[in-house]
């Protein structure tokens, strides 16, 4: 919750281990009570820990990620940030704030190769959940279709997917004045990143290519075959070419 302490912490990590490319914001506490009984301290402490911490840590790494053209930020929010929960006005507000933070920063970072995602778990078998009264916990478990709490390892696999598998959709900046940048690998990354953005327009794309209505798998193959003919690729040029193809179709 201390901005300067977070700044010093990140500086120490980077000095010892190198640049921070992946950040997982996972801090979270609860101080549950109804709003009419909630004190300012209960409100402020939960917001500081659950929401301010996301700003405090992300702020320290986002510039470096931007400079390097790569970054992964994962914010652990909560299902209660989406639906709310009685007795958790402070917690629900903080986790909803995490979601809004994520959506806004994702738009800021996308062109710099930074992806920002939020995971919104239900009730997970953590010390915080274990501290619930047994009868209250039993009622919660009874509402879960699979009849059990989630496991921390299941959330960890979601994090792993977002920091690893998403590399397939990575868009790298290419400098046309640097021939070494214009490799097949770079072109493939740009093309692969563009294809999913054309999925909603697959009917028009199929007609433009003279292939009729296409399934998603067929669309991917057709687009990769067509776009692979482009000799020089950059973000603006590739997007403009695809948009022009749709207009021409």
């Amino acid at each position: 919750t201390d901005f300067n302490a977070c700044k010093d912490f990140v500086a120490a990590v980077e000095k010892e281990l190198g640049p921070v490319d992946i950040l997982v914001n996972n801090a979270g506490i609860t101080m549950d009570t109804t709003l009419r009984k909630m004190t300012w301290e209960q409100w402020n402490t939960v917001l500081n820990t659950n929401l301010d911490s996301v700003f405090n840590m992300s702020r320290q790494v986002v510039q470096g990620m931007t400079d390097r053209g790569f970054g992964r930020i994962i914010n652990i929010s909560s299902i209660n940030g989406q639906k709310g929960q009685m007795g958790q006005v402070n917690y629900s507000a903080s986790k909803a704030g995490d979601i809004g933070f994520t959506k806004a920063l994702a738009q800021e970072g996308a062109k710099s190769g930074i992806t920002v995602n939020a995971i919104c778990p239900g009730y997970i078998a953590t010390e915080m959940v274990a501290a619930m009264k047994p009868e209250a916990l039993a009622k919660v478990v009874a509402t879960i279709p699979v009849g059990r709490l989630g496991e921390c390892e299941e959330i960890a696999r979601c994090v792993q997917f977002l920091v690893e598998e998403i590399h397939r959709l990575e868009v790298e900046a290419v400098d046309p004045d640097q021939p070494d940048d214009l490799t097949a690998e770079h072109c493939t990354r740009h093309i692969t990143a563009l294809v999913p953005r054309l999925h909603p327009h697959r009917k028009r794309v199929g007609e433009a290519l003279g292939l009729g209505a296409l399934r998603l798998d067929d669309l991917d193959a057709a687009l990769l075959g067509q776009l692979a003919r482009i000799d020089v690729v950059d973000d603006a040029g590739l997007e403009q070419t695809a948009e022009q193809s749709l207009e021409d179709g």
Side-chain angles (χ1 to χ4, degrees):
T1 60
D2 186 309
F3 181 84
N4 290 325
C6 292
K7 182 178 181 179
D8 293 341
F9 171 73
V10 171
V13 169
E14 292 186 330
K15 181 178 180 180
E16 181 175 350
L17 302 176
V20 175
D21 288 329
I22 299 171
L23 171 66
V24 180
N25 288 308
N26 191 37
I29 63 170
T30 59
M31 290 185 174
D32 296 348
T33 187
T34 57
L35 182 61
R36 60 190 176 85
K37 297 179 182 179
M38 186 175 295
T39 66
W40 182 87
E41 287 76 14
Q42 289 172 317
W43 167 267
N44 194 56
T45 300
V46 171
L47 267 290
N48 279 345
T49 302
N50 298 2
L51 181 55
D52 289 358
S53 62
V54 175
F55 169 82
N56 291 343
M57 288 299 298
S58 301
R59 178 64 179 82
Q60 313 309 328
V61 302
V62 70
Q63 185 60 58
M65 291 179 176
T66 301
D67 293 342
R68 293 186 298 275
F70 178 87
R72 300 286 179 261
I73 298 177
I74 313 296
N75 298 319
I76 308 300
S77 180
S78 168
I79 190 173
N80 290 345
Q82 297 177 305
K83 72 177 186 63
Q85 178 62 40
M86 187 179 73
Q88 286 194 331
V89 168
N90 49 4
Y91 182 82
S92 297
S94 68
K95 292 303 183 177
D98 290 343
I99 295 171
F101 181 100
T102 300
K103 291 180 177 180
L105 185 56
Q107 295 179 54
E108 293 182 18
K111 291 185 177 180
S112 299
I114 303 170
T115 62
V116 188
N117 290 275
I119 298 174
C120 299
Y123 285 86
I124 307 299
T126 63
E127 293 181 4
M128 186 170 69
V129 172
M132 295 175 62
K133 294 180 180 179
E135 58 272 21
L137 183 57
K139 290 181 180 179
V140 167
V141 173
T143 66
I144 301 174
V146 296
R148 66 170 178 85
L149 297 174
E151 298 293 337
C152 295
E153 290 78 7
E154 293 170 317
I155 306 305
R157 286 199 291 271
C158 292
V159 173
Q160 184 178 17
F161 170 80
L162 290 171
V163 301
E164 292 184 354
E165 293 299 318
I166 203 68
H167 289 186
R168 292 178 300 169
L169 303 182
E170 175 183 327
V171 179
E172 293 186 359
V174 177
D175 184 353
D177 296 325
Q178 300 296 324
D180 291 342
D181 282 348
L182 303 177
T183 63
E185 179 182 358
H186 281 90
C187 291
T188 299
R189 292 191 183 201
H190 280 267
I191 293 169
T192 305
L194 176 64
V195 167
R197 290 154 58 185
L198 296 178
H199 283 174
H201 309 288
R202 59 183 180 275
K203 181 178 180 180
R204 291 175 59 197
V205 173
E207 292 173 351
L209 298 178
L211 300 175
L214 293 173
R215 296 179 305 172
L216 289 183
D217 289 344
D218 295 332
L219 171 65
D220 291 354
L223 284 173
L224 290 173
Q226 293 291 323
L227 296 175
R229 300 174 185 175
I230 298 174
D231 294 324
V232 178
V233 180
D234 61 25
D235 286 336
L238 182 56
E239 188 168 352
Q240 182 179 359
T241 300
E243 292 176 352
Q244 186 62 46
S245 295
L246 288 176
E247 293 174 2
D248 293 342

